[in-house]
Amino acid sequence: MSTLDPSSADLTLLQDRQVAVLGFDAMGAAHALNLRDSGVDVWVGIDPDSRLAARAEVEGLPVALPEEAVARCDILLVPSLGHGDDGPRTVTRLVQEHSEPGDLVIVTTATAVHDGLLTVPEGVDLAMLRSIGSGDRVREEYLDGRGCPALVAVARDDSGAAWATLTAYAAAMGALRSGAVVTTIDRESIAMASAQDRIQRPLQEALESAFEDLTGRGVEPEVAYVALVHELKTQVDQIYAAGFATQHGPSGQSGDHQTVSSRREAAAGAHPLEHAGRRVRSMTSWLR
């Protein structure tokens, strides 16, 4: 596992730069407030008459129309691209019309970049910082003196300084307090798409099918829901916090009958997914 080196983070790289955060959803708010509290000059790009703009102003953040914020700033954070192609295309247009060579665009998920829906003009850098945690968690961990780890990647480094700037940005966000795993745009996008196709969508279909089967056999809908959804969440929470061994015995393998003789033997024989889980959990302070 390759991670950003906290000792290489130079926050002075952000001293003379301004960051525009498009929108003010939970993740956008976390970025804007964490950066602001780290001494970074932040603008929120949003309709000044919107409710979210009012929330940003209550927090003491300056607000401007998206095109004005992008033109004013030289780092752009895109926390949410919305649904369909309109979001990425809108951001692409804003960057094409209002950015300059040497600017940096940071996305929080790689899909739109991987699919070619979000592009930047020549001379503009493009990177990803995906927090391992919700926006609320990112803010809470920062305020508690810790930080949410992140996945980071650079898709385009025309300036030659994209990695240095991204490292400084991750440090200002608080991510380097826990760690930032280095990946690529392609790998992150492939992983997320695979998770949706092989886990999330089939799981939803399986839950709906099982629910219909149970209610068809006379089981009360509420009882079916508890058995299918509530219990699933309980088990997933346990796996998220401590690994599959909480469900399948010390080796983490389904059908385990306590055949291993020690914790060390169990750890050595666990599936690689377990080993990756332990490394990620070691970075998430709320699960330690």
CSV table of all heavy atoms in Angstrom, one decimal, residues 39-68:
chain,number,residue,atom,x,y,z
A,39,GLY,N,-6.6,27.5,7.6
A,39,GLY,CA,-6.0,28.8,7.1
A,39,GLY,C,-6.0,29.0,5.6
A,39,GLY,O,-5.4,29.9,5.1
A,40,VAL,N,-6.8,28.2,4.9
A,40,VAL,CA,-6.9,28.3,3.4
A,40,VAL,C,-8.1,29.2,3.1
A,40,VAL,O,-9.1,29.2,3.7
A,40,VAL,CB,-7.2,26.9,2.8
A,40,VAL,CG1,-7.2,27.0,1.3
A,40,VAL,CG2,-6.0,25.9,3.2
A,41,ASP,N,-7.9,30.0,2.0
A,41,ASP,CA,-8.9,31.0,1.5
A,41,ASP,C,-9.9,30.2,0.7
A,41,ASP,O,-9.5,29.7,-0.4
A,41,ASP,CB,-8.2,32.1,0.7
A,41,ASP,CG,-9.1,33.3,0.5
A,41,ASP,OD1,-10.3,33.2,0.9
A,41,ASP,OD2,-8.6,34.2,-0.2
A,42,VAL,N,-11.1,30.2,1.1
A,42,VAL,CA,-12.2,29.3,0.5
A,42,VAL,C,-13.3,30.2,0.1
A,42,VAL,O,-13.8,31.0,0.8
A,42,VAL,CB,-12.6,28.2,1.4
A,42,VAL,CG1,-13.7,27.4,0.8
A,42,VAL,CG2,-11.5,27.3,1.9
A,43,TRP,N,-13.8,29.9,-1.1
A,43,TRP,CA,-15.1,30.4,-1.6
A,43,TRP,C,-16.1,29.3,-1.9
A,43,TRP,O,-15.6,28.2,-2.4
A,43,TRP,CB,-14.9,31.3,-2.9
A,43,TRP,CG,-14.3,32.6,-2.6
A,43,TRP,CD1,-13.0,32.9,-2.4
A,43,TRP,CD2,-15.0,33.9,-2.6
A,43,TRP,NE1,-12.8,34.3,-2.2
A,43,TRP,CE2,-14.1,34.9,-2.3
A,43,TRP,CE3,-16.3,34.2,-2.8
A,43,TRP,CZ2,-14.4,36.2,-2.2
A,43,TRP,CZ3,-16.7,35.6,-2.7
A,43,TRP,CH2,-15.7,36.5,-2.4
A,44,VAL,N,-17.3,29.5,-1.7
A,44,VAL,CA,-18.4,28.5,-2.0
A,44,VAL,C,-19.1,29.0,-3.3
A,44,VAL,O,-19.6,30.1,-3.3
A,44,VAL,CB,-19.4,28.3,-0.9
A,44,VAL,CG1,-20.5,27.4,-1.3
A,44,VAL,CG2,-18.7,27.8,0.4
A,45,GLY,N,-19.0,28.2,-4.3
A,45,GLY,CA,-19.7,28.5,-5.6
A,45,GLY,C,-21.1,27.9,-5.6
A,45,GLY,O,-21.2,26.7,-5.8
A,46,ILE,N,-22.0,28.8,-5.5
A,46,ILE,CA,-23.4,28.3,-5.4
A,46,ILE,C,-24.3,29.5,-5.6
A,46,ILE,O,-23.9,30.7,-5.5
A,46,ILE,CB,-23.7,27.7,-4.0
A,46,ILE,CG1,-25.0,26.9,-4.0
A,46,ILE,CG2,-23.7,28.8,-2.9
A,46,ILE,CD1,-25.2,26.1,-2.7
A,47,ASP,N,-25.6,29.3,-6.0
A,47,ASP,CA,-26.5,30.4,-6.1
A,47,ASP,C,-26.7,31.1,-4.8
A,47,ASP,O,-27.1,30.5,-3.8
A,47,ASP,CB,-27.9,29.8,-6.6
A,47,ASP,CG,-29.0,30.8,-6.8
A,47,ASP,OD1,-28.7,32.0,-6.5
A,47,ASP,OD2,-30.1,30.5,-7.2
A,48,PRO,N,-26.4,32.4,-4.7
A,48,PRO,CA,-26.4,33.1,-3.5
A,48,PRO,C,-27.8,33.2,-2.9
A,48,PRO,O,-27.9,33.4,-1.6
A,48,PRO,CB,-25.9,34.5,-3.9
A,48,PRO,CG,-25.1,34.3,-5.1
A,48,PRO,CD,-25.8,33.2,-5.8
A,49,ASP,N,-28.8,32.9,-3.6
A,49,ASP,CA,-30.2,33.0,-3.1
A,49,ASP,C,-30.7,31.6,-2.6
A,49,ASP,O,-31.8,31.5,-2.1
A,49,ASP,CB,-31.2,33.5,-4.2
A,49,ASP,CG,-30.9,34.9,-4.6
A,49,ASP,OD1,-30.5,35.7,-3.7
A,49,ASP,OD2,-31.1,35.2,-5.8
A,50,SER,N,-29.9,30.6,-2.7
A,50,SER,CA,-30.3,29.2,-2.3
A,50,SER,C,-30.2,29.1,-0.7
A,50,SER,O,-29.5,29.8,-0.1
A,50,SER,CB,-29.4,28.2,-3.0
A,50,SER,OG,-28.1,28.2,-2.5
A,51,ARG,N,-30.9,28.0,-0.2
A,51,ARG,CA,-30.8,27.7,1.2
A,51,ARG,C,-29.4,27.3,1.6
A,51,ARG,O,-28.9,27.6,2.7
A,51,ARG,CB,-31.8,26.6,1.5
A,51,ARG,CG,-33.3,27.1,1.4
A,51,ARG,CD,-34.2,25.9,1.6
A,51,ARG,NE,-34.1,25.3,2.9
A,51,ARG,CZ,-34.7,24.1,3.2
A,51,ARG,NH1,-35.5,23.5,2.4
A,51,ARG,NH2,-34.5,23.6,4.4
A,52,LEU,N,-28.7,26.5,0.7
A,52,LEU,CA,-27.4,26.1,1.1
A,52,LEU,C,-26.4,27.2,1.1
A,52,LEU,O,-25.5,27.2,1.9
A,52,LEU,CB,-26.9,25.0,0.0
A,52,LEU,CG,-27.6,23.7,0.1
A,52,LEU,CD1,-27.1,22.8,-1.0
A,52,LEU,CD2,-27.4,23.0,1.4
A,53,ALA,N,-26.7,28.3,0.3
A,53,ALA,CA,-25.8,29.5,0.4
A,53,ALA,C,-26.0,30.1,1.7
A,53,ALA,O,-25.0,30.6,2.3
A,53,ALA,CB,-26.2,30.4,-0.8
A,54,ALA,N,-27.2,30.2,2.2
A,54,ALA,CA,-27.5,30.8,3.5
A,54,ALA,C,-26.7,30.0,4.6
A,54,ALA,O,-26.2,30.6,5.5
A,54,ALA,CB,-29.0,30.8,3.8
A,55,ARG,N,-26.7,28.7,4.5
A,55,ARG,CA,-25.9,27.9,5.5
A,55,ARG,C,-24.4,28.2,5.4
A,55,ARG,O,-23.8,28.3,6.5
A,55,ARG,CB,-26.2,26.4,5.2
A,55,ARG,CG,-27.6,25.9,5.6
A,55,ARG,CD,-27.7,24.5,5.3
A,55,ARG,NE,-26.7,23.7,5.9
A,55,ARG,CZ,-26.4,22.4,5.6
A,55,ARG,NH1,-27.2,21.8,4.7
A,55,ARG,NH2,-25.5,21.7,6.2
A,56,ALA,N,-23.9,28.3,4.2
A,56,ALA,CA,-22.5,28.7,4.1
A,56,ALA,C,-22.2,30.0,4.7
A,56,ALA,O,-21.2,30.2,5.3
A,56,ALA,CB,-22.1,28.6,2.6
A,57,GLU,N,-23.1,31.0,4.5
A,57,GLU,CA,-22.8,32.3,5.0
A,57,GLU,C,-22.9,32.3,6.5
A,57,GLU,O,-22.2,33.1,7.2
A,57,GLU,CB,-23.8,33.3,4.4
A,57,GLU,CG,-23.6,33.6,2.9
A,57,GLU,CD,-24.7,34.4,2.2
A,57,GLU,OE1,-25.8,34.4,2.8
A,57,GLU,OE2,-24.4,35.0,1.2
A,58,VAL,N,-23.8,31.5,7.1
A,58,VAL,CA,-23.9,31.4,8.5
A,58,VAL,C,-22.5,30.9,9.1
A,58,VAL,O,-22.1,31.3,10.2
A,58,VAL,CB,-25.0,30.5,8.9
A,58,VAL,CG1,-24.9,30.1,10.4
A,58,VAL,CG2,-26.4,31.1,8.7
A,59,GLU,N,-21.9,30.0,8.3
A,59,GLU,CA,-20.6,29.5,8.8
A,59,GLU,C,-19.4,30.5,8.5
A,59,GLU,O,-18.3,30.2,8.8
A,59,GLU,CB,-20.3,28.2,8.0
A,59,GLU,CG,-21.2,27.1,8.3
A,59,GLU,CD,-20.9,26.5,9.7
A,59,GLU,OE1,-19.9,26.9,10.4
A,59,GLU,OE2,-21.6,25.5,10.1
A,60,GLY,N,-19.8,31.7,7.9
A,60,GLY,CA,-18.8,32.7,7.7
A,60,GLY,C,-18.0,32.5,6.4
A,60,GLY,O,-16.9,33.1,6.3
A,61,LEU,N,-18.5,31.7,5.5
A,61,LEU,CA,-17.8,31.5,4.2
A,61,LEU,C,-18.4,32.4,3.2
A,61,LEU,O,-19.6,32.6,3.0
A,61,LEU,CB,-18.0,30.0,3.8
A,61,LEU,CG,-17.4,29.0,4.7
A,61,LEU,CD1,-17.9,27.6,4.3
A,61,LEU,CD2,-15.9,29.0,4.4
A,62,PRO,N,-17.5,33.0,2.3
A,62,PRO,CA,-18.0,33.9,1.3
A,62,PRO,C,-18.6,33.0,0.2
A,62,PRO,O,-18.2,31.9,-0.1
A,62,PRO,CB,-16.7,34.5,0.8
A,62,PRO,CG,-15.6,33.6,1.2
A,62,PRO,CD,-16.0,33.0,2.4
A,63,VAL,N,-19.7,33.6,-0.4
A,63,VAL,CA,-20.4,32.9,-1.5
A,63,VAL,C,-20.4,33.7,-2.8
A,63,VAL,O,-20.5,34.9,-2.7
A,63,VAL,CB,-21.9,32.6,-1.0
A,63,VAL,CG1,-22.7,32.1,-2.1
A,63,VAL,CG2,-21.9,31.7,0.2
A,64,ALA,N,-20.3,33.0,-3.9
A,64,ALA,CA,-20.4,33.6,-5.2
A,64,ALA,C,-21.0,32.6,-6.2
A,64,ALA,O,-21.1,31.4,-5.9
A,64,ALA,CB,-19.0,34.0,-5.7
A,65,LEU,N,-21.5,33.1,-7.3
A,65,LEU,CA,-22.0,32.3,-8.3
A,65,LEU,C,-20.9,31.3,-8.8
A,65,LEU,O,-19.7,31.7,-8.7
A,65,LEU,CB,-22.5,33.1,-9.5
A,65,LEU,CG,-23.8,33.9,-9.3
A,65,LEU,CD1,-24.0,34.8,-10.5
A,65,LEU,CD2,-25.0,32.9,-9.2
A,66,PRO,N,-21.3,30.1,-9.2
A,66,PRO,CA,-20.2,29.1,-9.5
A,66,PRO,C,-19.2,29.7,-10.5
A,66,PRO,O,-18.0,29.5,-10.3
A,66,PRO,CB,-21.0,28.0,-10.1
A,66,PRO,CG,-22.3,28.0,-9.4
A,66,PRO,CD,-22.6,29.5,-9.2
A,67,GLU,N,-19.6,30.4,-11.6
A,67,GLU,CA,-18.7,30.9,-12.6
A,67,GLU,C,-17.8,31.9,-12.0
A,67,GLU,O,-16.6,32.0,-12.3
A,67,GLU,CB,-19.4,31.4,-13.8
A,67,GLU,CG,-20.5,32.4,-13.5
A,67,GLU,CD,-21.9,31.8,-13.3
A,67,GLU,OE1,-21.9,30.6,-12.9
A,67,GLU,OE2,-22.9,32.5,-13.6
A,68,GLU,N,-18.3,32.7,-11.0
A,68,GLU,CA,-17.5,33.7,-10.4
A,68,GLU,C,-16.5,33.1,-9.5
A,68,GLU,O,-15.3,33.5,-9.4
A,68,GLU,CB,-18.4,34.7,-9.6
A,68,GLU,CG,-19.3,35.5,-10.5
A,68,GLU,CD,-20.2,36.4,-9.7
A,68,GLU,OE1,-20.2,36.3,-8.5
A,68,GLU,OE2,-21.1,37.1,-10.3
